[in-house]
Amino acid sequence: MADDREPPALFDDEAETPETNPDEQVNGNPLIGETTEISLNDEEAKADTTPEENDKGSSDLAADGNEEKSEISAAASVDVTNLSKPSEDDSEPAPKEKPEEKEIEEEEEDDTFDMNIKVTDPEKIGDGMGSYMVFKVTTVTSMPTFKNSETSVKRRFSDFLGLHDRLNSKFLHLGKIVPPAPEKSVVGMTRVKLGKGEESTPVDFISKRRAALERYLNRVARHPTLREDPDFRQFLEADGLPRAKDTAALSGGGLKRFVKSVGDTMFQLTTKMSESDQWFEEKQQQIETLDQQLKKLHLSMETLAMQRKELSSCTAGFAKSTAMLSNAEEHATLSRALSQLAEVEEKIEQLHVQQADSDFYVLAELLKDYIGLIQAVKASFQERVRSYSNWQHAQQMLTKKREALVKLELASKNEKLPQAQEEVKEWEHKVEKGEEDFGKISKAIQKEMARFEKNRVKDFRESLIKYLEDMMESQQQLIKYWEAFLPEAKAIA
């Protein structure tokens, strides 16, 4: 038996790769290295051959040297690569993300649009509960899609809400991050509606709303897809807009939005997605952590702004008391010093007001905007879960339809077969469509997150620099005030 047995194929000079059986590879242990398998086959061959054949094989191997061994190892590794099919777990998605990230960076670099939107001149129209506020929206742009390089239109708050609803319905299910519109305030608008005259109008509320509307429009304009939307261009250019409906807080539309929010919350609680993509899992955790930290920081900034406002009020009271004391003082030098101190305190009170405005408008409102943007990010992630749920539902229905078709075929109910086959084809199409939609929204969210992170870093960098510059200017001005007052204090005899 040993004389009739042929040497292994690995030692045949004419064979470039070893002849292996794929079934044996699958049934065996495919994870064992091929070098070990070759040595085992070599020992078995030597055990079954005669001493003369062993001497001959040893001389042949010695003649061939290390070059033949390297060729055999290379051939064996190539053969294993060809025979073993990589599983889904062995695939590496990281290299696939690199071209997408590069593509996103190229899109941002090519984005050379020029658009600046200002919201100014708040004006109250009408009296009583039927009154409303309108704002002047001025757009300066070099984009060719706009009719004029500069346009000015009048818009009321409900128009902004209507624009957001239309953009949200168009782009949210595609995975786009739609900036949230400013929040409604029933108390603030009631004070505006019931106020009579300019003195009773809450200026602070109106100025905050104007700034929030301006930031909202500029955020939409920065998005390369949203700014090309016809509804957005119409909002900035058209002289008149159709009346936005169901935007009031206490209306049928408000009730519908409340019911929808409750339904979305229930969907989030009852629908769980077994996340297989580590990128999305990490991003969701990052977003949750960022949301919590921004809320804490926003609360601290609002508290700081309020305390600085209180400090300005106390400083103003101290200035008035010092001025009254200077008028009652009989000593001329001391009276003049107290009067100068009162003037210094009045100037310092203005510095505190300016710094409080900087605390609020530069940092606190930025944090509030990004808390809202994070909710928009979560909404886009939830739309991905919804897309996945629709896909899985289609797969389950397809399985049921196929089982029903098999039962009909076994029962020989030929009259119902055409309808069952048509239903199977219909659900097969829905499964393909669901898988395609899930892939599209996943890629869209990855691009949106890259843009979100880039804009977030840019916005916080600019705001922090502006905030520090304002604080340094305020402190330098404060030093000048006290240096100017120092000679008056030393002159008191």
PDB file of all heavy atoms in Angstrom, residues 374-393:
ATOM      1  N   ILE A 374     -29.292  69.169  19.355  1.00  0.00           N
ATOM      2  CA  ILE A 374     -29.093  67.779  19.782  1.00  0.00           C
ATOM      3  C   ILE A 374     -30.419  67.021  19.755  1.00  0.00           C
ATOM      4  O   ILE A 374     -30.467  65.835  19.398  1.00  0.00           O
ATOM      5  CB  ILE A 374     -28.450  67.750  21.174  1.00  0.00           C
ATOM      6  CG1 ILE A 374     -26.970  68.149  21.067  1.00  0.00           C
ATOM      7  CG2 ILE A 374     -28.579  66.377  21.825  1.00  0.00           C
ATOM      8  CD1 ILE A 374     -26.255  68.211  22.376  1.00  0.00           C
ATOM      9  N   GLN A 375     -31.514  67.698  20.097  1.00  0.00           N
ATOM     10  CA  GLN A 375     -32.819  67.047  19.964  1.00  0.00           C
ATOM     11  C   GLN A 375     -33.124  66.723  18.507  1.00  0.00           C
ATOM     12  O   GLN A 375     -33.727  65.679  18.206  1.00  0.00           O
ATOM     13  CB  GLN A 375     -33.919  67.941  20.556  1.00  0.00           C
ATOM     14  CG  GLN A 375     -33.732  68.283  22.021  1.00  0.00           C
ATOM     15  CD  GLN A 375     -33.560  67.067  22.903  1.00  0.00           C
ATOM     16  OE1 GLN A 375     -34.306  66.087  22.776  1.00  0.00           O
ATOM     17  NE2 GLN A 375     -32.590  67.115  23.812  1.00  0.00           N
ATOM     18  N   ALA A 376     -32.711  67.609  17.593  1.00  0.00           N
ATOM     19  CA  ALA A 376     -32.888  67.323  16.167  1.00  0.00           C
ATOM     20  C   ALA A 376     -32.021  66.144  15.737  1.00  0.00           C
ATOM     21  O   ALA A 376     -32.428  65.322  14.907  1.00  0.00           O
ATOM     22  CB  ALA A 376     -32.551  68.564  15.342  1.00  0.00           C
ATOM     23  N   VAL A 377     -30.811  66.050  16.298  1.00  0.00           N
ATOM     24  CA  VAL A 377     -29.939  64.900  16.003  1.00  0.00           C
ATOM     25  C   VAL A 377     -30.589  63.610  16.498  1.00  0.00           C
ATOM     26  O   VAL A 377     -30.612  62.589  15.790  1.00  0.00           O
ATOM     27  CB  VAL A 377     -28.556  65.102  16.657  1.00  0.00           C
ATOM     28  CG1 VAL A 377     -27.726  63.833  16.540  1.00  0.00           C
ATOM     29  CG2 VAL A 377     -27.825  66.268  16.004  1.00  0.00           C
ATOM     30  N   LYS A 378     -31.137  63.645  17.709  1.00  0.00           N
ATOM     31  CA  LYS A 378     -31.814  62.460  18.238  1.00  0.00           C
ATOM     32  C   LYS A 378     -33.011  62.082  17.373  1.00  0.00           C
ATOM     33  O   LYS A 378     -33.300  60.884  17.178  1.00  0.00           O
ATOM     34  CB  LYS A 378     -32.274  62.721  19.676  1.00  0.00           C
ATOM     35  CG  LYS A 378     -31.143  62.829  20.678  1.00  0.00           C
ATOM     36  CD  LYS A 378     -31.691  63.040  22.078  1.00  0.00           C
ATOM     37  CE  LYS A 378     -30.573  63.131  23.105  1.00  0.00           C
ATOM     38  NZ  LYS A 378     -31.097  63.337  24.479  1.00  0.00           N
ATOM     39  N   ALA A 379     -33.705  63.086  16.842  1.00  0.00           N
ATOM     40  CA  ALA A 379     -34.848  62.799  15.974  1.00  0.00           C
ATOM     41  C   ALA A 379     -34.402  62.096  14.700  1.00  0.00           C
ATOM     42  O   ALA A 379     -35.082  61.177  14.215  1.00  0.00           O
ATOM     43  CB  ALA A 379     -35.592  64.092  15.639  1.00  0.00           C
ATOM     44  N   SER A 380     -33.270  62.503  14.139  1.00  0.00           N
ATOM     45  CA  SER A 380     -32.763  61.841  12.934  1.00  0.00           C
ATOM     46  C   SER A 380     -32.348  60.399  13.247  1.00  0.00           C
ATOM     47  O   SER A 380     -32.606  59.482  12.442  1.00  0.00           O
ATOM     48  CB  SER A 380     -31.585  62.623  12.354  1.00  0.00           C
ATOM     49  OG  SER A 380     -30.471  62.623  13.239  1.00  0.00           O
ATOM     50  N   PHE A 381     -31.731  60.176  14.408  1.00  0.00           N
ATOM     51  CA  PHE A 381     -31.395  58.811  14.809  1.00  0.00           C
ATOM     52  C   PHE A 381     -32.654  57.971  15.002  1.00  0.00           C
ATOM     53  O   PHE A 381     -32.686  56.782  14.672  1.00  0.00           O
ATOM     54  CB  PHE A 381     -30.575  58.824  16.099  1.00  0.00           C
ATOM     55  CG  PHE A 381     -29.103  59.030  15.892  1.00  0.00           C
ATOM     56  CD1 PHE A 381     -28.553  60.302  15.918  1.00  0.00           C
ATOM     57  CD2 PHE A 381     -28.264  57.966  15.649  1.00  0.00           C
ATOM     58  CE1 PHE A 381     -27.197  60.502  15.716  1.00  0.00           C
ATOM     59  CE2 PHE A 381     -26.905  58.144  15.450  1.00  0.00           C
ATOM     60  CZ  PHE A 381     -26.370  59.416  15.482  1.00  0.00           C
ATOM     61  N   GLN A 382     -33.717  58.603  15.528  1.00  0.00           N
ATOM     62  CA  GLN A 382     -34.961  57.878  15.729  1.00  0.00           C
ATOM     63  C   GLN A 382     -35.617  57.525  14.400  1.00  0.00           C
ATOM     64  O   GLN A 382     -36.258  56.470  14.268  1.00  0.00           O
ATOM     65  CB  GLN A 382     -35.914  58.724  16.590  1.00  0.00           C
ATOM     66  CG  GLN A 382     -37.081  57.935  17.146  1.00  0.00           C
ATOM     67  CD  GLN A 382     -36.637  56.795  18.043  1.00  0.00           C
ATOM     68  OE1 GLN A 382     -35.638  56.903  18.753  1.00  0.00           O
ATOM     69  NE2 GLN A 382     -37.366  55.691  18.016  1.00  0.00           N
ATOM     70  N   GLU A 383     -35.461  58.391  13.408  1.00  0.00           N
ATOM     71  CA  GLU A 383     -35.974  58.078  12.075  1.00  0.00           C
ATOM     72  C   GLU A 383     -35.239  56.880  11.480  1.00  0.00           C
ATOM     73  O   GLU A 383     -35.823  56.089  10.741  1.00  0.00           O
ATOM     74  CB  GLU A 383     -35.832  59.296  11.158  1.00  0.00           C
ATOM     75  CG  GLU A 383     -36.824  60.401  11.436  1.00  0.00           C
ATOM     76  CD  GLU A 383     -38.262  59.951  11.212  1.00  0.00           C
ATOM     77  OE1 GLU A 383     -38.517  59.253  10.214  1.00  0.00           O
ATOM     78  OE2 GLU A 383     -39.118  60.301  12.047  1.00  0.00           O
ATOM     79  N   ARG A 384     -33.966  56.743  11.803  1.00  0.00           N
ATOM     80  CA  ARG A 384     -33.224  55.558  11.353  1.00  0.00           C
ATOM     81  C   ARG A 384     -33.779  54.294  11.998  1.00  0.00           C
ATOM     82  O   ARG A 384     -33.909  53.255  11.338  1.00  0.00           O
ATOM     83  CB  ARG A 384     -31.740  55.725  11.688  1.00  0.00           C
ATOM     84  CG  ARG A 384     -30.866  54.539  11.279  1.00  0.00           C
ATOM     85  CD  ARG A 384     -29.398  54.856  11.524  1.00  0.00           C
ATOM     86  NE  ARG A 384     -28.553  53.696  11.259  1.00  0.00           N
ATOM     87  CZ  ARG A 384     -28.205  52.800  12.167  1.00  0.00           C
ATOM     88  NH1 ARG A 384     -28.616  52.944  13.426  1.00  0.00           N
ATOM     89  NH2 ARG A 384     -27.441  51.767  11.839  1.00  0.00           N
ATOM     90  N   VAL A 385     -34.096  54.383  13.287  1.00  0.00           N
ATOM     91  CA  VAL A 385     -34.715  53.243  13.969  1.00  0.00           C
ATOM     92  C   VAL A 385     -36.073  52.920  13.345  1.00  0.00           C
ATOM     93  O   VAL A 385     -36.428  51.752  13.157  1.00  0.00           O
ATOM     94  CB  VAL A 385     -34.859  53.524  15.474  1.00  0.00           C
ATOM     95  CG1 VAL A 385     -35.595  52.398  16.183  1.00  0.00           C
ATOM     96  CG2 VAL A 385     -33.491  53.741  16.105  1.00  0.00           C
ATOM     97  N   ARG A 386     -36.817  53.961  13.002  1.00  0.00           N
ATOM     98  CA  ARG A 386     -38.122  53.745  12.368  1.00  0.00           C
ATOM     99  C   ARG A 386     -37.959  53.072  11.008  1.00  0.00           C
ATOM    100  O   ARG A 386     -38.737  52.175  10.638  1.00  0.00           O
ATOM    101  CB  ARG A 386     -38.849  55.088  12.219  1.00  0.00           C
ATOM    102  CG  ARG A 386     -40.336  54.949  11.903  1.00  0.00           C
ATOM    103  CD  ARG A 386     -40.933  56.334  11.695  1.00  0.00           C
ATOM    104  NE  ARG A 386     -40.758  57.162  12.864  1.00  0.00           N
ATOM    105  CZ  ARG A 386     -41.575  57.157  13.916  1.00  0.00           C
ATOM    106  NH1 ARG A 386     -42.616  56.342  13.925  1.00  0.00           N
ATOM    107  NH2 ARG A 386     -41.355  57.953  14.935  1.00  0.00           N
ATOM    108  N   SER A 387     -36.946  53.502  10.253  1.00  0.00           N
ATOM    109  CA  SER A 387     -36.684  52.880   8.953  1.00  0.00           C
ATOM    110  C   SER A 387     -36.303  51.410   9.130  1.00  0.00           C
ATOM    111  O   SER A 387     -36.744  50.547   8.361  1.00  0.00           O
ATOM    112  CB  SER A 387     -35.562  53.635   8.231  1.00  0.00           C
ATOM    113  OG  SER A 387     -35.225  53.004   7.009  1.00  0.00           O
ATOM    114  N   TYR A 388     -35.490  51.130  10.135  1.00  0.00           N
ATOM    115  CA  TYR A 388     -35.111  49.739  10.413  1.00  0.00           C
ATOM    116  C   TYR A 388     -36.329  48.916  10.828  1.00  0.00           C
ATOM    117  O   TYR A 388     -36.465  47.753  10.412  1.00  0.00           O
ATOM    118  CB  TYR A 388     -34.063  49.721  11.527  1.00  0.00           C
ATOM    119  CG  TYR A 388     -33.627  48.338  11.943  1.00  0.00           C
ATOM    120  CD1 TYR A 388     -32.696  47.627  11.209  1.00  0.00           C
ATOM    121  CD2 TYR A 388     -34.164  47.742  13.089  1.00  0.00           C
ATOM    122  CE1 TYR A 388     -32.295  46.346  11.596  1.00  0.00           C
ATOM    123  CE2 TYR A 388     -33.768  46.468  13.480  1.00  0.00           C
ATOM    124  CZ  TYR A 388     -32.834  45.777  12.734  1.00  0.00           C
ATOM    125  OH  TYR A 388     -32.454  44.510  13.111  1.00  0.00           O
ATOM    126  N   SER A 389     -37.216  49.502  11.627  1.00  0.00           N
ATOM    127  CA  SER A 389     -38.420  48.797  12.056  1.00  0.00           C
ATOM    128  C   SER A 389     -39.306  48.463  10.860  1.00  0.00           C
ATOM    129  O   SER A 389     -39.868  47.360  10.777  1.00  0.00           O
ATOM    130  CB  SER A 389     -39.182  49.647  13.075  1.00  0.00           C
ATOM    131  OG  SER A 389     -40.386  49.017  13.457  1.00  0.00           O
ATOM    132  N   ASN A 390     -39.449  49.406   9.917  1.00  0.00           N
ATOM    133  CA  ASN A 390     -40.245  49.146   8.713  1.00  0.00           C
ATOM    134  C   ASN A 390     -39.622  48.030   7.875  1.00  0.00           C
ATOM    135  O   ASN A 390     -40.339  47.189   7.310  1.00  0.00           O
ATOM    136  CB  ASN A 390     -40.364  50.421   7.889  1.00  0.00           C
ATOM    137  CG  ASN A 390     -41.156  51.499   8.604  1.00  0.00           C
ATOM    138  OD1 ASN A 390     -41.983  51.209   9.470  1.00  0.00           O
ATOM    139  ND2 ASN A 390     -40.914  52.752   8.252  1.00  0.00           N
ATOM    140  N   TRP A 391     -38.314  48.033   7.793  1.00  0.00           N
ATOM    141  CA  TRP A 391     -37.618  46.989   7.033  1.00  0.00           C
ATOM    142  C   TRP A 391     -37.847  45.614   7.661  1.00  0.00           C
ATOM    143  O   TRP A 391     -38.150  44.637   6.968  1.00  0.00           O
ATOM    144  CB  TRP A 391     -36.137  47.339   6.968  1.00  0.00           C
ATOM    145  CG  TRP A 391     -35.274  46.316   6.297  1.00  0.00           C
ATOM    146  CD1 TRP A 391     -35.644  45.414   5.343  1.00  0.00           C
ATOM    147  CD2 TRP A 391     -33.884  46.075   6.553  1.00  0.00           C
ATOM    148  NE1 TRP A 391     -34.571  44.630   4.976  1.00  0.00           N
ATOM    149  CE2 TRP A 391     -33.486  45.009   5.707  1.00  0.00           C
ATOM    150  CE3 TRP A 391     -32.949  46.647   7.404  1.00  0.00           C
ATOM    151  CZ2 TRP A 391     -32.176  44.518   5.701  1.00  0.00           C
ATOM    152  CZ3 TRP A 391     -31.646  46.168   7.393  1.00  0.00           C
ATOM    153  CH2 TRP A 391     -31.270  45.117   6.547  1.00  0.00           C
ATOM    154  N   GLN A 392     -37.702  45.532   8.992  1.00  0.00           N
ATOM    155  CA  GLN A 392     -37.902  44.253   9.666  1.00  0.00           C
ATOM    156  C   GLN A 392     -39.352  43.784   9.570  1.00  0.00           C
ATOM    157  O   GLN A 392     -39.627  42.581   9.435  1.00  0.00           O
ATOM    158  CB  GLN A 392     -37.483  44.378  11.136  1.00  0.00           C
ATOM    159  CG  GLN A 392     -36.004  44.654  11.339  1.00  0.00           C
ATOM    160  CD  GLN A 392     -35.130  43.589  10.713  1.00  0.00           C
ATOM    161  OE1 GLN A 392     -35.326  42.391  10.932  1.00  0.00           O
ATOM    162  NE2 GLN A 392     -34.162  44.016   9.929  1.00  0.00           N
ATOM    163  N   HIS A 393     -40.287  44.725   9.632  1.00  0.00           N
ATOM    164  CA  HIS A 393     -41.697  44.363   9.482  1.00  0.00           C
ATOM    165  C   HIS A 393     -41.951  43.787   8.088  1.00  0.00           C
ATOM    166  O   HIS A 393     -42.689  42.794   7.947  1.00  0.00           O
ATOM    167  CB  HIS A 393     -42.572  45.590   9.714  1.00  0.00           C
ATOM    168  CG  HIS A 393     -44.026  45.361   9.407  1.00  0.00           C
ATOM    169  ND1 HIS A 393     -44.832  44.567  10.200  1.00  0.00           N
ATOM    170  CD2 HIS A 393     -44.807  45.805   8.374  1.00  0.00           C
ATOM    171  CE1 HIS A 393     -46.049  44.540   9.681  1.00  0.00           C
ATOM    172  NE2 HIS A 393     -46.071  45.284   8.582  1.00  0.00           N
TER     173      HIS A 393
END
